[in-house]
Amino acid sequence: MTNSYFDNNVFNKGKAFIPFITAGYPTLEDTERFILKMEEAGADLIEIGIPFSDPIAEGPVIQHASTMALKAGTTLDKIFDMVKKVREKSQVPLVFMTYINPIFKYGCEKFYAKCNELNIRGTILPDVPFEEKKEFEDVAKLYDVDIISLVTPASNNRIRKIAEASRGFIYVVSSMGVTGTRDEITTDLGAIDEIIRKTTITKTAIGFGINTLAQAKEISKHSDGIIVGSAIIKIIDKYGSNSDEQIFDFVQSMKKAINS
Amino acid sequence: MTKGKYGEFGGQYIPETLMNEIINLENSYDFYKNDEKFKTELDFLLKNYANRPSLLYFAKNMTKDLNGAKVYLKREDLNHTGSHKINNVLGQVLLAKYMGKTRVIAETGAGQHGVATATAAALLGLECVVFMGEEDIKRQALNVYRMELLGAKVQSVKTGTGTLKDAVSEAMREWSKRVDDTLYVLGSVMGPHPYPMIVRDFQSIISKEAREEILLMENKLPHSVIACVGGGSNAMGMFYNFIPDKEVELIGCEAAGLGVDTDKHAASITKGSIGIFHGMKSIFCQDEYGQIAPVYSISAGLDYPGIGPEHAYLAQTKRAKYVPVKDDEAVYAFEYLAKTEGIICAIESAHAVYVGMEKAKSLNPDESIIICLSGRGDKDVKAIAKYKGREIHD
């Protein structure tokens, strides 16, 4: 199935670069500024992480950022307020990445209605596999929000059915395990890409473990975009509220690298 | 399409990375649970290694003292490794071996499930890594050393609150890194399907035996069956074969810590709400934004912010009731059982003993109740002494 929003707004300027940021780390004011910086640097889509107390798919870097954001008092309502401020200045494509419990507890209907109001068109939910997504997708569809499907190195015989039912774009997980930078990515991403390409025209983005420009450039051969999370959080670990320029440079050089 | 549901509870809310392996586990379990060789071997181990069947002990002194219903104790504390946990791990580790795995990982709170898994892995020749919160490592140092003696590696979990829930999260993370040679041996009736079903099946031997034993001794079913609940495996095992006996009251005893009106408790059903976490839709202690709440109990084995999905269903349909028991009440029952019957039970089980004492008093002498003594209390002696203001130095 084709989805014009992501095709027309994210994957329409060469290979897409998709940075991730944990909302509220170190503060929501910082997150708001960092999002605008990322857009300015050429980010095609920004993944906003809604922090969860027990993120089972995250490595230590994003776990730590989530814990700090929650300690600083970040809540879903405050995140929506922050996005509203972003929307006063920018229509940069945004998706939420979070675990299902914060959405479930907030109220699925209320959550997706709010996403619609703020022009957030996708959610990435690492603890909602293909078998469980219907409950949430039925509601999300009503508000024009896609639930982004994930394909992993262990998906094998599941890739086709996941790809067939995909909406928005497909998140290809580069490696086994949790998020976090890796020196080496050994998965045969070309093979996964080939199955997806034979099945659907939905665009793909590869994430998990991508760290360096050379890695991003190499891996981007097998997808329409690249997602980077932990490497950005590490910049914020180091520079805190003063990460603006560092983030700008990183995003700009990544976008350039995957399109050179 | 969704499998493993108990009413609205249960399901498989886990990362895609683990889905094929979870499906593999379910298929393997479905196959081997009917395989004669597997069944014979498991049965042999339960009888000749774990010391089953466990006694249904008539607590004469307690019955006399409480002056009400006859009190029976299902003595899971007499199993090898000292708790009901061995029932499940022998099944799961044997299954891992039949599946061709060479390594098992497990989470542990009090250390009972970790010790049991390390034991089964030693017996069956598999590598074993146990994830344990750093707070629990401090509280249960003896069990940490036990696991190491048994050849297991104990991995300290420093994230979150450093307790059982964090150990579960870390075991899931580890499993998603390495599925080919590794099975995650889950210790309770929780997590994604098929775990709540597998663990319940392996633990249901408790009620299978107890039901036969009580009918033999009393010639009628008990008035009440009582067990403590953290994740809920001994309770599910103790309840399961009594569920069709509508006249038998099923009571789960949750850890109320310092009280359910404080923020220091682990009483999921009494104080929690519906959520989705650790692979299952169930009932959890959480805040208004769905952040999982830090929980507290004197008992490291009940210190979990959720409960297995089948318990959530039994609670919702009112087939079982769940009552909170505070630290001081559990400690009182712990001491009472020691003095009255000469049995030092686990502090987890003492939560059930407390409710059993109250229940027995309220019933007539022609009725009986069964309390599940899920484990023995050697591991708790030092902590209880400390609670009572006495430091024991090694």
Side-chain angles (χ1 to χ4, degrees), chain B residues 360-372:
Chain B
K361 283 187 223 166
S362 73
L363 297 173
N364 296 323
D366 61 336
E367 304 279 11
S368 69
I369 65 166
I370 303 176
I371 303 168
C372 186

Side-chain angles (χ1 to χ4, degrees), chain A residues 51-56 58 63 77 100-101 105 126-127 129 131-132 135 152 154-155 157-158 162 176-177, chain B residues 2 11-17 19-20 159 165 173 176-177 273 275-277 281 286 288-292:
Chain A
F52 179 52
S53 53
D54 302 82
I56 60 159
E58 311 299 346
Q63 277 183 52
D77 282 317
I100 192 60
N101 203 45
K105 185 72 182 167
D127 56 349
E131 282 76 359
E132 299 289 356
E135 176 182 355
T152 80
S155 294
N157 56 332
R158 296 166 54 81
I162 293 170
M176 296 295 285
Chain B
T2 299
Q12 297 180 301
Y13 301 89
I14 49 162
E16 169 61 23
T17 311
M19 274 311 294
N20 262 329
T159 51
K165 81 169 166 88
R173 289 184 188 114
S176 73
K177 285 178 202 163
S273 57
I276 300 170
F277 180 50
K281 187 180 280 182
Q286 54 181 328
E288 59 174 313
Y289 288 102
Q291 306 295 344
I292 303 303

Side-chain angles (χ1 to χ4, degrees), chain B residues 12 24 67 81 93 126 133 151 161 177 191 212 225 235-236 292 332 338 347 372 376 379:
Chain B
Q12 297 180 301
N24 180 28
N67 197 23
T81 73
V93 177
L126 279 80
T161 50
K177 285 178 202 163
E212 287 166 7
V225 168
M236 208 57 234
I292 303 303
Y332 173 77
I347 190 65
C372 186
R376 69 173 180 229
K379 66 180 177 61

Side-chain angles (χ1 to χ4, degrees), chain B residues 119 190 342 345 384:
Chain B
T119 300
M190 48 159 287
C345 73
I384 303 295

